[in-house]
Structure formats: C-alpha cells, structure tokens
Amino acid sequence: MNMAILLAHPWFGTWTAAVVAVAIALLAHRLGGLLLLRITRHAPLLHAVVRKARAPSTVVLPLLALQTVWQAAPDELRWIDSVRHLNGLLMIAATTWLVARIIAGCAQGIMDRHPVDVADNMNARRIHTQTRVLARTAMTLVVVMGAAMLLMTFPGARQVGASLLASAGVLGLIAGFAAKPVFSNLIAGLQLALTQPIRLDDVLIIEGEWGRVEEITGTYVVLRIWDERRLIIPLQYFIEKPFQNWTRNNAQIMGSVFFYVDYGMPLAPLRTELERIVRAAPQWDQRFFNLVVADATERTMQLRVLCTAASSGLAWDLRCVVREGLIDFMQREYPQFLPRLRVEGEERRPERFESASSHAIGEPGRLQEGAAK
C-alpha cells in the first residue's frame, strides 16, 4: 500500500531521475578526474588546474545534473519553481568557486614552473609577484560578478538596483567616496603587478625598518623585519611614497664599515689585514673592496671600508666579519693607536726648582727675616 502511494506521488519520477543524475555525475567526476590527472601529469600548468578544480567540480557537476532534471520536470509540480531557483543559486555559487579555483590553479602552475629556491631567482620573483597579484585581482572580480548574478536572480534586488541607478546623484557620490579605498588598492595592485617596484623576497627599507617582502595581497604588503616582526603596509603606500629597494635590479650590494683610529695609525698594515680578511671570508663575491680615510676630526681619523656581497644578508655578515677582524688586529698589533681621550699638561722644568732652591739657600738671612716678621 505504501509502495503504491509512493509510486503515485507526483514527485516520484522527478526524484528518481534526480538521484540517478547525481550518481552519474559523481561517477563521471570520479573517472574524469582520474583520467585528466593522468593525461596532464606531464603538463604542470594543466595538472595544477585539474588538482585545484577537483573539489568545486564535485559540487558543480551534480548541481548541473539536478538543474537539467528540474528544468525537464512538469511545471505543475508543487514548489518546482522554488526548487529551480534554489538550485540555480547553488549553481552560481559553485561555478564562482570553480572559476576562482581554476584561476588559482593557473597561478600555481605558473609559479611551479619558476621556482624561487635557486641562486639567481630575480626573474622567478618577478613572475611570482605578477602572478599572485593578478590572480587575486581576477578572483576578486569573479566573486563580485558571482554575487551580482546571485542578486539579479531576485526580482526585488533588480528593482533596488534599477532605482539606485535612476537616482544616481548623491547616493552615487557617497558610494564612490566609500569605495575609493577599495578601488585605490585595486588599481595600486595592478600598478604593482605591471610596473613591479617591489617583488616577493625583495629587501626594502620602509619607515626606517629593514625587511623582506613576505606576502603581497590585494590590499596590503607584509614585510618580514629582520627580528621576525611583521610590518603591514597598504598597497597605496608604494605608489605615493618613496622607499628603498635594495634588490630592484639585482641582489648584489656594497656594504660599508666605518671606524675611528688615532692619527699615528699606519694605513698600510690595515690594508694588508683587510685584504686577508676579505679574501678569506666566504661572504665576499670577489668583486671589490678598499679602505680609505673618509674624514678627519680634531682627535681621530675616520676610516671607511667598502666590500661587496651577492645579497644584503651576506653583506651584513661580511661587514661584521671585517669590523671584528680589523678591531682585533689593532688590539693585538697597534693598541696604542686605538681612539682615546688624552689630557696633556705642561711639564715642570727641574731647573726652575733648582734655581729657586739655590736662591733660598743663598739668602738665609732674608728667610729668617721673613720668618721673624
């Protein structure tokens, strides 16, 4: 009896077709996914896209099959319009997710083809920066378009949109001012991706802080400071304000060391010791080094050492090695010429004391007279 009632239900055929359609869609997804992974294993870009799209496609294919069933169902079925609308909303959301993941897969495939863990990673860092910024911008636009399509499926939302467009005066001006930071950062992100004043892993000096670019998002840049702090900078900052980029064209850099010595310090031994220290240092890139007198004060000479390294990190280490080595050399060989503060007074002449003594001895009566007085 119950089976007869179930078979006679108006929705029985539609639900049966829906279950079969979902099962076929899941089976096709499973087999098609394995086949695509096998076919694209020698194509890194397509392989990355297939891997990223597997999860959302698990939702999109069944919803697409269900939408086909709902559209083929009789219009006389109760709530069929609501079911079609709900399935359409889920389809738009799932498709938006799928497109965003496809973009992410393309970006991942491009970055995988250009690894940054190599000695000369300048071109790879440029490609990584462009890919990440453009991919995030594209995904943001896809999400916005998906949200707009969702709203357009509701008649009320269409009417609200039409009324807003019709009364665009003050509301449009307010919306423009409110959206200015968003669009400013979006445009700044596109400018950064195309002109590339900064790239991932670039060494920057911003607001007096030294650090490396760790992440570039759609709205801000994360700078990893040398002491493991993180400085968050809006994208608009890099368009409007000056900053230092130590790795703009290449990572090679020249480091300087300043120290002070006494005027009596001979420079030839220091230059010889500097050559020995620099040539023995693994951080030196074999390009250049020298030692000159950069300045002279009333008490000391200021010496400047220049030495080159392949990167800013190596330059910092090399500067420390040179500084420690030269100070140690002077402490051992020329401690008398280390900078110090001297106070020199006028020496007393012995003859003055002798003449005074002889004068006192030669005139005893006068001393006695003075004593008597």
Side-chain angles (χ1 to χ4, degrees), residues 215-232:
E215 184 180 1
I216 301 177
T217 70
T219 56
Y220 59 86
V221 173
V222 179
L223 190 70
R224 186 179 74 249
I225 309 301
W226 64 272
D227 58 359
E228 300 300 327
R229 290 178 292 137
R230 300 297 190 274
L231 185 64
I232 311 300

Side-chain angles (χ1 to χ4, degrees), residues 156-176:
R158 287 199 299 267
Q159 293 175 2
V160 170
S163 61
L164 286 176
L165 291 176
S167 59
V170 178
L171 291 178
L173 186 61
I174 294 174

Side-chain angles (χ1 to χ4, degrees), residues 146-223:
M149 292 178 65
L150 285 173
L151 290 175
M152 292 302 291
T153 61
F154 296 93
R158 287 199 299 267
Q159 293 175 2
V160 170
S163 61
L164 286 176
L165 291 176
S167 59
V170 178
L171 291 178
L173 186 61
I174 294 174
F177 278 113
K180 181 181 177 181
V182 178
F183 288 110
S184 296
N185 280 323
L186 183 62
I187 295 172
L190 291 175
Q191 287 178 305
L192 289 179
L194 297 176
T195 62
Q196 290 204 334
I198 62 171
R199 294 177 292 264
L200 290 172
D201 207 40
D202 266 351
V203 176
L204 307 181
I205 303 291
I206 297 179
E207 303 292 335
E209 298 284 2
W210 182 97
R212 291 183 176 273
V213 177
E214 183 178 56
E215 184 180 1
I216 301 177
T217 70
T219 56
Y220 59 86
V221 173
V222 179
L223 190 70

Side-chain angles (χ1 to χ4, degrees), residues 160-319:
V160 170
S163 61
L164 286 176
L165 291 176
S167 59
V170 178
L171 291 178
L173 186 61
I174 294 174
F177 278 113
K180 181 181 177 181
V182 178
F183 288 110
S184 296
N185 280 323
L186 183 62
I187 295 172
L190 291 175
Q191 287 178 305
L192 289 179
L194 297 176
T195 62
Q196 290 204 334
I198 62 171
R199 294 177 292 264
L200 290 172
D201 207 40
D202 266 351
V203 176
L204 307 181
I205 303 291
I206 297 179
E207 303 292 335
E209 298 284 2
W210 182 97
R212 291 183 176 273
V213 177
E214 183 178 56
E215 184 180 1
I216 301 177
T217 70
T219 56
Y220 59 86
V221 173
V222 179
L223 190 70
R224 186 179 74 249
I225 309 301
W226 64 272
D227 58 359
E228 300 300 327
R229 290 178 292 137
R230 300 297 190 274
L231 185 64
I232 311 300
I233 309 109
L235 289 179
Q236 197 66 21
Y237 180 97
F238 298 95
I239 305 299
E240 298 177 348
K241 296 184 179 181
F243 59 93
Q244 295 184 40
N245 188 337
W246 288 12
T247 53
R248 178 67 179 89
N249 296 320
N250 55 61
Q252 293 177 338
I253 195 169
M254 182 177 295
S256 60
V257 177
F258 291 89
F259 58 98
Y260 296 86
V261 298
D262 190 82
Y263 275 99
M265 178 66 204
L267 299 181
L270 276 180
R271 289 193 172 101
T272 302
E273 180 64 14
L274 172 64
E275 182 176 4
R276 186 193 67 80
I277 293 172
V278 170
R279 292 189 182 281
Q283 297 89 353
W284 186 50
D285 63 357
Q286 311 289 322
R287 285 195 297 141
F288 175 78
F289 73 90
N290 76 344
L291 183 149
V292 297
V293 178
D295 197 5
T297 68
E298 67 274 12
R299 295 187 180 90
T300 59
M301 294 187 297
Q302 184 190 58
L303 304 184
R304 186 195 68 185
V305 174
L306 294 180
C307 46
T308 58
S311 67
S312 57
L314 293 176
W316 170 266
D317 295 337
L318 180 59
R319 290 167 61 196

Side-chain angles (χ1 to χ4, degrees), residues 71-93:
Q71 293 298 328
D75 294 335
E76 295 79 15
L77 286 178
R78 191 178 182 184
W79 302 310
I80 187 63
D81 291 334
S82 299
V83 171
R84 289 170 178 169
H85 187 214
L86 177 61
N87 197 95
L89 293 177
L90 296 176
M91 270 287 299
I92 294 173

Side-chain angles (χ1 to χ4, degrees), residues 23-34:
I24 294 174
L26 291 176
L27 180 61
H29 174 269
R30 177 67 176 173
L31 297 177
L34 294 175

